[in-house]
Amino acid sequence: MTAFEKLRIQNLSGKYIAIGLDTDINKIPQHLKSLTNPVLEFNKLIIEATKDLAAAYKINFAFYEVESKTGIENIEKTLSFIPSNVLTIADGKRGDIGNTSEMYAKAIFDRLQFDSATLNPYMGEDSLKPFLHYKDKLNFILALTSNPGSNDFQKTELKKGGFLYQSVIQKVISWNTFKNCGIVFGATNPDELKNNIESFGDLPVLIPGIGAQGGDLEKITGILGRFKNINFLVNVSRGILYKNHTPEFASAAVEEIVRLNNLIKSHL
């Protein structure tokens, strides 16, 4: 089964939430901090509680690489907790040329065995080709992100017309020979989503920016529903992971993901 097919099965079963495992030792419940490996235990309990409800788990490399060897080991062990039918996303926003990109792709897809990755297209097609050669994987390529700084480049108007992020979307469509491409489109851009959604075709869309960054889930899913697009993931990190700071944090995470999935389905 390809990563694209795995995602489609999750979407068709009414699951749209990617839980972002941006696990911060400073934010996890206090009672876990006396353990030998509190981050890993936190991830394990979150996954055990939500594995039948999540469409995907996204591991943000920054929160693990900061711990050097232990962090990489925690990525590997966290992946072992995730059921094989649930999509895994390596969130490193890689993008480089030549052998460097090839090594990044091998690390993520061969060594760590992720289903998908986030990629930065700034350096062009050759910087992404090593990832695109993995026909059974999925690559979420940054189009329009949720941070305020996205205005600096992504919304630059082009001489030929349109905006840079729109050109990226068209490029991704042209690269999608093996149905292994998707895009990242931030939830803080509802007007742009409404105006461009019909250009996405069958590209899966990873939508960050809900909650702490200011994205409105109801507004975004209302647009998706209006255009009958069910080919997407909404990433939620802090809103699920840190819903509760007591020993009941995993139960609170379950309640939140159920609420979010139900809210999404009500608009589709």
Side-chain angles (χ1 to χ4, degrees), residues 5-19 49-57 83 85-87 205 221 229-235 257-258 260-265 268:
E5 291 167 341
K6 186 181 290 192
L7 176 57
R8 287 291 289 167
I9 289 171
Q10 293 293 333
N11 285 164
L12 290 171
S13 67
K15 299 174 187 176
Y16 299 97
I17 298 296
I19 297 180
T50 60
K51 63 186 179 183
D52 295 326
L53 301 165
Y57 291 94
N85 65 313
V86 180
L87 192 78
V205 187
T221 51
N229 186 318
I230 60 166
N231 198 20
F232 67 90
L233 288 170
V234 175
N235 181 73
I257 193 172
V258 167
L260 294 172
N261 269 325
N262 287 338
L263 191 154
I264 291 170
K265 286 185 281 188
L268 300 181

Side-chain angles (χ1 to χ4, degrees), residues 20-248:
L21 292 171
D22 305 356
T23 309
D24 185 342
I25 186 67
N26 298 309
K27 294 180 179 177
I28 66 175
Q30 189 65 35
H31 73 279
L32 295 177
K33 294 182 180 179
S34 61
L35 301 178
T36 303
N37 194 330
V39 166
L40 188 63
E41 183 64 16
F42 179 82
N43 286 355
K44 180 180 179 181
L45 292 173
I46 287 287
I47 293 167
E48 286 178 349
T50 60
K51 63 186 179 183
D52 295 326
L53 301 165
Y57 291 94
K58 182 173 74 64
I59 295 180
N60 188 321
F61 278 23
F63 289 86
Y64 299 85
E65 290 173 338
V66 71
E67 296 297 332
S68 190
K69 179 183 177 181
T70 298
I72 300 302
E73 290 174 349
N74 280 348
I75 290 176
E76 293 178 317
K77 291 174 183 176
T78 295
L79 287 170
S80 74
F81 303 145
I82 300 172
S84 61
N85 65 313
V86 180
L87 192 78
T88 56
I89 306 171
D91 186 12
K93 301 176 182 67
R94 303 303 195 211
D96 210 323
I97 58 173
N99 290 339
T100 306
S101 185
E102 185 178 348
M103 292 302 109
Y104 278 141
K106 285 182 176 180
I108 287 172
F109 290 150
D110 291 335
R111 178 65 184 270
L112 293 171
Q113 293 287 302
F114 275 93
D115 296 314
S116 62
T118 59
L119 303 179
N120 189 331
Y122 188 77
M123 293 180 71
E125 182 179 6
D126 58 328
S127 69
L128 305 186
K129 270 188 175 179
F131 288 86
L132 302 182
H133 286 160
Y134 286 82
K135 299 178 183 180
D136 60 337
K137 302 295 186 178
L138 189 54
N139 299 286
F140 290 103
I141 299 167
L142 304 181
L144 184 58
T145 55
S146 54
N147 59 306
S150 64
N151 293 328
D152 291 345
F153 298 110
Q154 295 163 20
K155 293 183 181 179
T156 299
E157 292 191 55
L158 305 178
K159 288 183 179 180
K160 65 181 180 180
F163 298 94
L164 180 58
Y165 76 87
Q166 293 172 323
S167 181
V168 169
I169 293 169
Q170 292 308 307
K171 284 289 187 183
V172 174
I173 289 171
S174 73
W175 299 335
N176 196 27
T177 305
F178 303 123
K179 300 295 182 185
N180 63 350
C181 292
I183 57 171
V184 176
F185 204 100
T188 53
N189 301 286
D191 292 338
E192 288 82 1
L193 178 64
K194 181 176 65 177
N195 293 333
N196 290 275
I197 191 170
E198 291 182 297
S199 73
F200 296 172
D202 60 357
L203 293 176
V205 187
L206 176 61
I207 305 173
I210 293 295
Q213 291 187 57
D216 186 322
L217 181 59
E218 291 194 62
K219 185 178 290 186
I220 290 296
T221 51
I223 295 167
L224 292 161
R226 194 151 63 247
F227 287 91
K228 302 187 184 306
N229 186 318
I230 60 166
N231 198 20
F232 67 90
L233 288 170
V234 175
N235 181 73
V236 182
S237 301
R238 285 167 281 184
I240 289 176
L241 298 186
Y242 311 125
K243 191 70 179 178
N244 185 309
H245 290 86
T246 75
E248 303 303 316

